[in-house]
């Protein structure tokens, strides 16, 4: 089965925020039963994402926003291919 996953987080602040640091764990984990075909993460205000693998094999994306901002939008889209855990063939 092919699944399309869309996740959006939207923050609005009453006052401008500076020095925002964030970590995201939004990329689906590849396992024996599922494989991520594509994954895209977009952030507004636009930032450069850095990634690393944590101790549980999750891909972690991190970013910092130094300039003042009154909103933050994180949009993640992925396509995941799954297969049944029971194979009767």
């Amino acid at each position: 089965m092919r699944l399309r996953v869309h996740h959006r987080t939207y923050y609005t602040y009453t006052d401008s925020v500076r020095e925002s640091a964030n970590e995201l764990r939004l990329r689906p984990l590849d396992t024996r039963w599922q494989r991520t075909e594509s994954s895209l993460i977009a952030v507004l205000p636009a930032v450069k994402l850095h990634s690393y693998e944590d101790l549980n094999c999750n891909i972690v994306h991190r970013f910092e926003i130094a300039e003042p901002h009154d909103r933050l939008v994180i949009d993640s889209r992925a396509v995941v291919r799954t297969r049944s855990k029971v194979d009767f063939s």
Side-chain angles (χ1 to χ4, degrees):
M1 179 180 294
R2 187 182 222 190
L3 304 172
R4 295 182 192 278
V5 181
H6 180 214
H7 173 89
R8 179 177 290 148
T9 302
Y10 191 91
Y11 298 96
T12 55
Y13 309 109
T14 55
D15 294 322
S16 289
V17 174
R18 290 189 295 160
E19 303 300 327
S20 175
N22 300 270
E23 285 191 345
L24 311 174
R25 287 171 175 81
L26 293 173
R27 187 185 191 282
L29 187 63
D30 287 334
T31 68
R32 181 176 174 190
W33 310 112
Q34 72 180 30
R35 183 76 46 209
T36 303
E37 293 182 349
S38 64
S39 176
L40 175 67
I41 298 174
V43 177
L44 288 175
V47 295
K48 181 173 182 170
L49 295 175
H50 305 277
S51 63
Y52 67 92
E53 188 173 293
D54 70 10
L55 295 175
N56 295 312
C57 300
N58 295 299
I59 301 298
V60 180
H61 291 88
R62 64 177 180 79
F63 64 91
E64 297 84 28
I65 304 172
E67 70 270 2
H69 56 285
D70 59 4
R71 68 183 176 108
L72 171 62
V73 181
I74 303 166
D75 193 88
S76 171
R77 296 172 189 261
V79 177
V80 179
R81 174 78 63 181
T82 64
R83 63 183 195 115
S84 174
K85 289 187 177 186
V86 179
D87 186 3
F88 293 106
S89 51

